[in-house]
Amino acid sequence: QNLYWNPCSCPHPNVIVSSWLSEAERPGYDFGATAPAPGTEQFSQVVWKATRQVAMALSEDEKFCVANYFPAGNAGNFKENVFPKGTAVPKAFAGALAAAKGAATAEATFVTSPEGVETLKVRRFPHPTIDEILDSCPGNDFKEKIEEAFQQGADLVTIDRVHKPPRIHIRVIASKNSKILTQFRRGFGGG
């Protein structure tokens, strides 16, 4: 398991994974060792050959990111599971690596919390998922504001939708490099 913390909010998953990978250079990983040097455990877990699945999640306040691996790494033979940069990826692992890269660079992610909050995170405009989440709120100008935010350099727009009949509440946060550029919210429906 790897953990990332940022006092403001977590950046794009690529930035988080890159920070873990950077441990190979600083403090420096000894590829001939039988165990990782202190401060390189996150690097060795990210590249652990025997790992087949990874899942990443953000805390509700977006300050913590956790990655869970299956099977977990950092246990067993390090020489057989951690390789220097540039080592060819065995064909059997290429699919899992491609899937992990795809998840980290996804244009859009959609999750529903146990409390029923639907959260959409998008990295470009236009995107069909924006229409899907906002079409339940007729007469709003959110799409125009989202387009304007991307034109002003936003690299991520987060849309939260809560449906508490008969009302729907929408909150939109546009950010660039994890800094909020603009945010707006509105409730729709009777009651």
Side-chain angles (χ1 to χ4, degrees), residues 109-147:
T109 57
F110 182 82
V111 296
T112 303
S113 75
E115 296 80 25
V117 178
E118 299 172 324
T119 300
L120 171 67
K121 294 184 179 226
V122 292
R123 299 195 176 280
R124 71 171 174 88
F125 185 89
H127 198 280
T129 55
I130 294 172
D131 295 335
E132 290 174 24
I133 201 165
L134 293 179
D135 280 349
S136 60
C137 307
N140 73 67
D141 58 350
F142 284 3
K143 288 182 202 172
E144 292 81 13
K145 289 181 177 181
I146 291 170
E147 181 178 19

Side-chain angles (χ1 to χ4, degrees), residues 157-178:
V157 168
T158 303
I159 304 170
D160 293 324
R161 180 174 70 176
V162 179
H163 187 203
K164 294 185 177 181
R167 295 191 52 80
I168 296 174
H169 301 272
I170 301 280
R171 178 183 70 168
V172 178
I173 300 173
S175 58
K176 179 178 182 179
N177 298 325
S178 300

